Amino acid sequence: MSIVAHSHPFVVGVDTHARNHVYAILDAANGALLDTQSFPSTAVGINRAIKWVARRTNADADALWVIEGAASYGAVLAGTVAAQGFAVAEAPRMDAKSRRGVGKTDALDAHRMAMAVLPLPVEKLRRPRLNEGIRQGLRILSTARESMSKDRTRAVNALNAVVRSNDIDIDARKKLTTSQIGEISRWRERDEELALSIARAEAVRLAKHILDLAEALQSNEQKLDELVRASEAAPLLEVKGFRAVTAAKCLVAWSHEGRVRSEAAFACLAGVNPIPASSGNTVRHRLNRGGDRRLNSALHLAALTRMTHDAETCDYVEKRRAEGKSDREIRRCVKRYLARRVFRILNAAAEAQKVQ
């Protein structure tokens, strides 16, 4: 297993920010710092930085770029560098203890992240996700949907609070139904006490906002479905427990063939790999609370659906309960199984697209 220091002649560490990116170039053979410079995060600044790196590395195409925030501040930089044929990796997680007594600057951070990858095996570098085409479209739509869903929940809670604390002619002893929200949105002004008039107007505003968000969420899911059916995740829609929203989250996390090196690595990425939690005579595993929480959420929803509506999964649940497993432990096992299946389906679909 080859390490970075033996596979790449130079390593470029990049500490990314909204306005400027700071670059540090290392000679991978001996870890010597060749130069450090800051450039604007604009397209012009990124091109200047690439030319600056090329001059100091003799335009060596095997140079490895290690970019912090490759999915946020460094997304444009990572895409530009990758498009020019350079190897790109996400910066490894840095230990704050290593900075104790040394201090912190952007230049030091860029240097540290470049140094941190030198002893790492090349196969274990974290490769950035694709930020183009269908995958990027799905990421944008999924993020927008998450924001709209939270906004709708807040609006529903606010509307419930208004109608329960004011006598404005609606039965709010239970959670408001869709038909009740529709009824509230059609209310008109009445000749009543000032406080009740304001409460009624606010209820109407919230109800209309909720209905607008529901319509936007429906449109969002339709767009997600269209993109998923045109991607490697299309076969996931045939698997019970998955629909466009959950399939999109899986594809966004997987990104492209080769990014996740193995089925076990995908399970770790999803936060569904078993973590040993044994002690004394008790032998058990617990849930992993790390990983990509959006991917974990998608697998969680799929697992709950299958545990309720899929006959084969229900039989498995009963079998494990008879063995003394708790529902939480059983759900962890089901999510691990789904991670394996999702990874194999996405890889198989990618291979099939290559043949075509």
Side-chain angles (χ1 to χ4, degrees):
M1 186 178 291
S2 179
I3 63 174
V4 171
H6 297 162
S7 303
H8 297 278
F10 301 97
V11 175
V12 183
V14 189
D15 186 28
T16 60
H17 297 277
R19 293 186 177 181
N20 298 287
H21 299 331
V22 180
Y23 303 75
I25 307 174
L26 296 188
D27 185 331
N30 52 29
L33 178 63
L34 301 181
D35 205 350
T36 303
Q37 187 58 270
S38 173
F39 292 95
S41 57
T42 60
V44 173
I46 289 173
N47 289 330
R48 284 176 54 202
I50 293 174
K51 292 176 182 177
W52 173 80
V53 170
R55 288 195 298 271
R56 281 152 182 77
T57 60
N58 298 318
D60 198 319
D62 290 330
L64 172 66
W65 291 64
V66 182
I67 301 174
E68 179 194 45
S72 54
Y73 288 136
V76 176
L77 172 64
T80 304
V81 171
Q84 297 200 16
F86 293 100
V88 181
E90 294 184 32
R93 295 181 180 88
M94 306 300 293
D95 184 6
K97 292 181 181 179
S98 64
R99 295 201 303 263
R100 192 166 296 168
V102 178
K104 179 188 184 305
T105 67
D106 294 340
L108 282 174
D109 285 346
H111 184 196
R112 287 193 187 104
M113 64 183 68
M115 286 291 294
V117 301
L118 291 179
L120 296 181
V122 174
E123 293 78 8
K124 292 192 176 181
L125 289 175
R126 296 194 300 159
R127 302 296 180 182
R129 302 171 183 177
L130 289 178
N131 289 308
E132 59 184 15
I134 290 178
R135 188 260 164 198
Q136 178 69 348
L138 288 172
R139 187 187 71 81
I140 294 170
L141 289 172
S142 296
T143 303
R145 183 178 186 82
E146 186 175 329
S147 176
M148 288 188 289
S149 296
K150 290 180 179 178
D151 192 9
R152 185 180 183 280
T153 300
R154 284 193 294 266
V156 169
N157 290 339
L159 180 58
N160 275 297
V162 169
V163 298
R164 284 175 180 170
S165 57
N166 297 276
D167 184 13
I168 49 178
D169 305 326
I170 193 77
D171 185 0
R173 291 174 296 175
K174 295 182 179 180
K175 182 179 177 181
L176 291 173
T177 64
T178 303
S179 61
Q180 285 178 311
I181 293 173
E183 178 186 345
I184 293 171
S185 70
R186 294 187 294 273
W187 279 353
R188 296 182 179 180
E189 292 184 8
R190 299 183 185 181
D191 184 12
E192 55 190 347
E193 183 190 345
L194 176 62
L196 290 179
S197 177
I198 292 174
R200 188 179 300 279
E202 179 61 10
V204 171
R205 183 192 70 81
L206 288 168
K208 289 180 178 179
H209 185 50
I210 292 167
L211 294 178
D212 289 343
L213 286 171
E215 186 178 345
L217 285 167
Q218 185 177 2
S219 174
N220 175 279
E221 185 167 1
Q222 290 175 352
K223 292 176 182 176
L224 283 171
D225 187 73
E226 291 173 4
L227 290 180
V228 167
R229 292 185 185 281
S231 71
E232 296 94 332
L236 281 179
L237 298 178
E238 306 300 323
V239 179
K240 183 169 288 189
F242 288 90
R243 58 190 183 95
V245 177
T246 46
K249 290 180 180 179
C250 292
L251 180 61
V252 167
W254 175 80
S255 184
H256 58 278
E257 186 183 15
R259 175 178 180 264
V260 184
R261 64 183 180 275
S262 67
E263 172 192 300
F266 186 75
C268 184
L269 174 66
V272 298
N273 56 316
I275 304 296
S278 303
S279 177
N281 294 328
T282 302
V283 179
R284 61 180 290 269
H285 294 81
R286 68 166 177 83
L287 290 166
N288 180 1
R289 296 177 179 86
D292 186 323
R293 303 317 294 173
R294 288 179 178 173
L295 174 58
N296 186 281
S297 171
L299 295 178
H300 182 79
L301 290 174
L304 290 179
T305 302
R306 292 179 68 90
M307 290 171 70
T308 305
H309 302 290
D310 182 60
E312 185 178 353
T313 306
C314 289
D315 291 342
Y316 173 80
V317 170
E318 293 303 320
K319 174 185 174 184
R320 299 311 297 266
R321 278 181 183 153
E323 295 173 358
K325 298 290 185 184
S326 67
D327 284 354
R328 178 175 290 183
E329 290 173 322
I330 296 169
R331 189 164 60 247
R332 177 194 63 74
C333 295
V334 175
K335 289 163 71 174
R336 178 63 181 88
Y337 158 76
L338 289 175
R340 180 186 306 116
R341 190 165 182 184
V342 167
F343 181 76
R344 292 178 178 177
I345 286 174
L346 292 175
N347 274 356
E351 287 292 337
Q353 285 189 359
K354 282 183 181 179
V355 174
Q356 294 175 358

